[in-house]
Amino acid sequence: MNRRDFIQLTSAGAGALLLPGMAAGGRVIDAEALLDPGLDLAIKKRLADAGLNAAKAKGASYADVRIGRYLNQFVTTREDKVQSIVNLESFGVGVRVLVNGCWGFASLGDASTEAQVAETAEIAVQVAKANIALLDEPVQLAPQKGFGEVSYKTPFTKNLFEIPIKEKVDLLLSVNGAAMANGANFINSVLFMVNEQKYFASTDGSYIDQDIHRIWPTFTVTGIDRATGQFQTRNSLGTAKAMGYEYLQTAPPDRITGRPTTLFNNYYDMLDDATLAARQVKEKVKAKSVEAGKYDLVLDPSHLRLTIHESVGHATELDRVLGYEANLAGTSFATMDKWKSKTFKYGSPQVTVFADKIQPGSMGAVGWDDEGVKTKKWDLIKDGILVNYQAIRDQVHMLGETESHGCCYADSWNAVQFQRMANVSLAPGTQPLSVDELIKDVKKGIYIIGYGSYSIDQQRYNFQFGGQLFYEIKDGQITGMLKDVAYQSNTQEFWNSCVKVSDQRDYRVEGSFFDGKGQPPQLSCVSHGSATARFNGVNVINTARKV
């Protein structure tokens, strides 16, 4: 095995271990085992009741039990070779308790008896009692009604794990073959597929069974100019979705054309995208290097997703705002005094940003969060003004609210749940506005597609973002491809430079498996929606390495 193969294989393996539930130590299983339904609901309820009753008997005023089974499959290929096919399973129980205003948590892998769960709950109570000595202020838990026995399942028509491995391999090798036939020198392609089976029970009276399915098709195409030794890459424009295998469809005949993207809300034509990517990397190698300066930026949703995530999503998490979270990665400039003023201009009047956990197909879409709160939608920025944050049951009292926002999550049965980013999205414009109309009055601009490298400071304020594809705009026309592009700004300046947002017809939801936070770190699944948006007078730099 050569060095490149080794790095690719080990990177894929590490990626699999970062998927939800795998930090708990997943075990390799056969593909057929992915379709095993797992424990019967009646058994889960008995296990959960054993934990709840034990916690209450030992003095807990509140307790919840999460029984989690996490199933992952990933298929990795390179050019005409299959690199790896891995199926993983992780199963266990986590118990969280509140004793005299202090949290305690304990977990156990492969917990299959009532006695094991009860013992885990008793350990959680011991942890809470030990933590009381360190408590500055008792937890204030927002009231939450019990929902009884309820369930939620990701809507899909094709179960990810019912699709034969051969069909998945054939798809990826076809994708690779199309890229190579159209001039690519190298291509790696991967299918990540996840099923989270989560059962939540609490002393509030909820017994919630959820079955979450997610998929991420992705690739990286590399093109080399043999004469100069220069190379360029283009990553897949496919996004992660909470859908079934039906997401991987051939694009319908009436799909939008004329712009270099094949990413849409309800399907992803991976073969078409790889074909286009191979042609684009050859064009990127020979593209003109950008001249630094001020430009009007037209940002596609496949790019804007990351800017939203870093400069709004993380900045409006209440634990960051309060300084409770700083390890991964930082606090927030959007402090409580700005919110309390009711006048802080986070962005221009064209900027309305909302949080939600209910958008169909979004990675964060669930019926209830991991502390039994029904999910919902709410505004963070309204017409440019900061109006709210993202908060959970033990935080909302700080905002004068009595109901959690429903954005609590743990990435495994052995991790304690805490405040995580909901889907955070830029609302589309309210007036009819196509992308072509958005571009037509730009005198000097750049159209950016796909997300690339980025950097943002520890207060989510000063930043730099790159992308995948860059097109020069002159006098309302796209004139050709650019390279070596990144833009720099700060959060408030950038969002206040937003002058136009395309309408609902262009709105797309982009997702990721890998939103990191906490210490020890946890990963959550999140999406960001937007239509194409325009930002005037943004500073662009040339990132070419000078020799």
Side-chain angles (χ1 to χ4, degrees), residues 312-326 330-339 346 386 388-390 395 398-399 419 459-460 517:
V312 182
H314 280 312
T316 55
E317 293 175 304
L318 187 57
D319 55 354
R320 292 190 191 279
V321 171
L322 296 170
Y324 295 169
E325 164 66 23
T331 55
S332 173
F333 80 98
T335 49
M336 294 278 281
D337 59 303
K338 296 180 175 66
W339 166 70
Y346 207 110
L386 177 66
N388 211 335
Y389 299 105
Q390 303 169 70
Q395 298 172 341
M398 303 176 198
L399 302 175
Q419 190 274 310
Q459 282 70 51
R460 302 284 152 179
K517 185 178 178 181

Side-chain angles (χ1 to χ4, degrees), residues 463-521:
F463 60 67
Q464 175 176 309
F465 285 92
Q468 292 292 315
L469 299 169
F470 312 97
Y471 291 87
E472 185 174 27
I473 304 170
K474 283 186 177 180
D475 298 322
Q477 299 291 323
I478 293 177
T479 59
M481 189 179 283
L482 297 170
K483 63 183 177 183
D484 308 322
V485 177
Y487 60 89
Q488 296 177 329
S489 189
N490 67 60
T491 296
Q492 192 177 8
E493 180 181 88
F494 175 78
W495 288 105
N496 273 280
S497 73
C498 181
V499 293
K500 294 181 180 180
V501 183
S502 294
D503 62 46
Q504 182 68 39
R505 294 171 297 172
D506 188 56
Y507 183 86
R508 304 197 294 277
V509 177
E510 310 282 331
S512 172
F513 276 107
F514 304 117
D515 174 29
K517 185 178 178 181
Q519 184 66 31

Side-chain angles (χ1 to χ4, degrees), residues 61-76:
S61 59
Y62 168 83
D64 56 49
V65 175
R66 290 180 295 109
I67 300 170
R69 181 172 180 242
Y70 298 81
L71 302 172
N72 294 343
Q73 181 182 81
F74 70 105
V75 182
T76 305

Side-chain angles (χ1 to χ4, degrees), residues 367-531:
W368 289 263
D369 77 351
D370 280 357
E371 52 183 4
V373 177
K374 185 70 176 172
T375 51
K376 64 178 183 179
K377 172 183 174 181
W378 70 102
D379 285 334
L380 299 171
I381 301 167
K382 181 68 174 175
D383 300 328
I385 304 299
L386 177 66
V387 296
N388 211 335
Y389 299 105
Q390 303 169 70
I392 59 175
R393 287 187 69 182
D394 62 2
Q395 298 172 341
V396 288
H397 70 276
M398 303 176 198
L399 302 175
E401 299 180 25
T402 59
E403 182 181 283
S404 169
H405 296 158
C407 53
C408 194
Y409 178 79
D411 70 357
S412 174
W413 52 266
N414 75 339
V416 66
Q417 60 268 57
F418 69 124
Q419 190 274 310
R420 296 310 309 266
M421 193 187 303
N423 302 310
V424 174
S425 302
L426 174 67
T430 58
Q431 301 299 317
L433 182 66
S434 70
V435 176
D436 291 338
E437 290 169 331
L438 194 72
I439 290 172
K440 72 178 183 180
D441 60 346
V442 174
K443 298 299 182 184
K444 177 188 176 185
I446 304 174
Y447 180 31
I448 303 180
I449 297 169
Y451 64 94
S453 62
Y454 73 98
S455 177
I456 192 165
D457 70 16
Q458 295 292 296
Q459 282 70 51
R460 302 284 152 179
Y461 195 64
N462 298 291
F463 60 67
Q464 175 176 309
F465 285 92
Q468 292 292 315
L469 299 169
F470 312 97
Y471 291 87
E472 185 174 27
I473 304 170
K474 283 186 177 180
D475 298 322
Q477 299 291 323
I478 293 177
T479 59
M481 189 179 283
L482 297 170
K483 63 183 177 183
D484 308 322
V485 177
Y487 60 89
Q488 296 177 329
S489 189
N490 67 60
T491 296
Q492 192 177 8
E493 180 181 88
F494 175 78
W495 288 105
N496 273 280
S497 73
C498 181
V499 293
K500 294 181 180 180
V501 183
S502 294
D503 62 46
Q504 182 68 39
R505 294 171 297 172
D506 188 56
Y507 183 86
R508 304 197 294 277
V509 177
E510 310 282 331
S512 172
F513 276 107
F514 304 117
D515 174 29
K517 185 178 178 181
Q519 184 66 31
Q522 293 190 40
L523 296 173
S524 72
C525 299
V526 66
S527 288
H528 305 288
S530 76

Side-chain angles (χ1 to χ4, degrees), residues 46-66 93-99 102-108 111 113-129 201 203:
R46 286 200 298 271
L47 293 174
D49 280 338
L52 298 178
N53 292 335
K56 288 188 291 185
K58 292 296 183 179
S61 59
Y62 168 83
D64 56 49
V65 175
R66 290 180 295 109
V93 62
V95 183
R96 185 180 66 158
V97 301
L98 194 60
V99 180
C102 191
W103 286 120
F105 177 78
S107 63
L108 180 66
T113 69
E114 294 172 40
Q116 288 176 315
V117 179
E119 183 180 2
T120 303
E122 291 171 358
I123 294 172
V125 172
Q126 294 171 16
V127 171
K129 290 179 178 179
T203 51

